[in-house]
Amino acid sequence: MGVTKTDQFTKKQNAMALILKSLGHPARVSIVEYLTKVDSCICGDIVDELPLAQPTVSQHLKELKNAGVIKGSIEGNAICYCIDEQTIETLHAYLANILNQLKNKTTNCC
Amino acid sequence: MGVTKTDQFTKKQNAMALILKSLGHPARVSIVEYLTKVDSCICGDIVDELPLAQPTVSQHLKELKNAGVIKGSIEGNAICYCIDEQTIETLHAYLANILNQLKNKTTNCC
DNA sequence: ATTCTTTATCGTAATATTGCAATATAATAA
DNA sequence: TTATTATATTGCAATATTACGATAAAGAAT
């Protein structure tokens, strides 16, 4: 069908999947890396940096924003985007928890 | 188009995106959580656990395996799937690095 | 007021994803 | 050999994603 059975999974699972999915595209990985490195974060700079057309970049930014990975604030004429550290921390902690559980396991078949 | 401009980004960016994308679906998040908790990891158990048909689960497992998030080993008649800790560690370290860089930033506009 | 600059939205084409029934494959059991 | 069990693959319908040209919207500059 192409439609995800969202209701069959927990809110947390859907929330994590949303964040992970938003990061699951090289352009969006690239945007996050750029915003991590750079000090100013004007939207136009991101467009210039990426090998994609402006509407495409705008769409990717929207998706990252929707997942809470970035946030934007109006800066006069332009818009300033930057990473929402909290969301990255949430994801980081989630993975740390998984790694922790794995290390405490007695058996490991594979 | 619907086709990602993979060649326009670095290998690392594409590799990270592949891992993140494979985790970007609640069913696959659910599989990873299940494999983290459980001690044995027979494919059939995963199918029983998930609210999806066997072919659908098989497809999700294939995607996780392709991204290196899980690995499978033949266990007689059945197949034993479990998490590839290294891949999770790679992702974990990647995020740690981003968080580190963010914390060392002087300015933060948003 | 008009133009310029910056970003978002719309419309659309190409491709990818999700999900499942049907079927194939492969190993074990009878 | 013939079932049985466990998993993968195929084929297909429904929906989602990716990308971009055209255009809209909104503030800044002239």
Side-chain angles (χ1 to χ4, degrees):
Chain A
M1 297 165 182
V3 71
T4 296
K5 286 185 145 185
T6 299
D7 53 313
Q8 302 281 353
F9 301 95
T10 69
K11 282 212 170 181
K12 268 200 177 179
Q13 286 169 341
N14 278 297
M16 287 311 304
L18 182 71
I19 296 170
L20 288 158
K21 186 180 177 185
S22 83
L23 292 167
H25 188 288
R28 297 193 291 268
V29 165
S30 176
I31 289 171
V32 167
E33 288 180 356
Y34 180 73
L35 290 179
T36 300
K37 274 173 210 141
V38 119
D39 265 348
S40 79
C41 44
I42 302 302
C43 177
D45 295 344
I46 303 171
V47 172
D48 291 344
E49 183 76 6
L50 291 202
L52 298 170
Q54 179 268 322
T56 308
V57 174
S58 186
Q59 210 173 258
H60 283 306
L61 288 169
K62 191 179 176 184
E63 201 164 333
L64 285 170
K65 197 173 161 192
N66 177 248
V69 170
I70 65 173
K71 50 189 173 178
S73 61
I74 297 168
E75 192 87 5
N77 198 14
I79 292 189
C80 169
Y81 279 113
C82 59
I83 294 181
D84 190 333
E85 215 169 307
Q86 271 206 320
T87 304
I88 307 293
E89 246 153 24
T90 300
L91 183 53
H92 184 253
Y94 177 80
L95 294 172
N97 184 252
I98 285 179
L99 286 172
N100 226 45
Q101 283 181 259
L102 289 176
K103 263 148 199 162
N104 288 345
K105 281 180 83 169
T106 48
T107 49
N108 217 351
C109 42
C110 306
Chain B
M1 303 169 180
V3 71
T4 297
K5 285 183 146 185
T6 299
D7 53 312
Q8 301 281 354
F9 301 96
T10 69
K11 284 212 169 179
K12 269 201 177 179
Q13 286 168 340
N14 278 297
M16 287 312 304
L18 182 70
I19 297 170
L20 288 158
K21 186 179 177 186
S22 82
L23 292 168
H25 188 289
R28 298 193 290 268
V29 165
S30 177
I31 289 171
V32 167
E33 288 180 357
Y34 179 74
L35 289 179
T36 299
K37 274 172 209 139
V38 118
D39 263 350
S40 80
C41 45
I42 302 302
C43 176
D45 296 345
I46 303 170
V47 172
D48 291 345
E49 183 75 4
L50 290 202
L52 298 170
Q54 179 268 321
T56 308
V57 174
S58 186
Q59 208 173 262
H60 283 307
L61 288 169
K62 190 179 176 184
E63 201 164 333
L64 285 169
K65 197 173 160 193
N66 176 246
V69 170
I70 65 172
K71 50 190 172 179
S73 61
I74 297 168
E75 193 87 4
N77 199 14
I79 291 189
C80 168
Y81 279 113
C82 60
I83 295 182
D84 190 333
E85 215 169 307
Q86 271 206 322
T87 304
I88 307 293
E89 244 153 25
T90 300
L91 183 52
H92 184 252
Y94 178 80
L95 294 172
N97 184 252
I98 284 179
L99 286 172
N100 227 44
Q101 284 181 261
L102 289 176
K103 263 147 199 163
N104 288 344
K105 280 179 83 168
T106 48
T107 48
N108 216 351
C109 41
C110 304

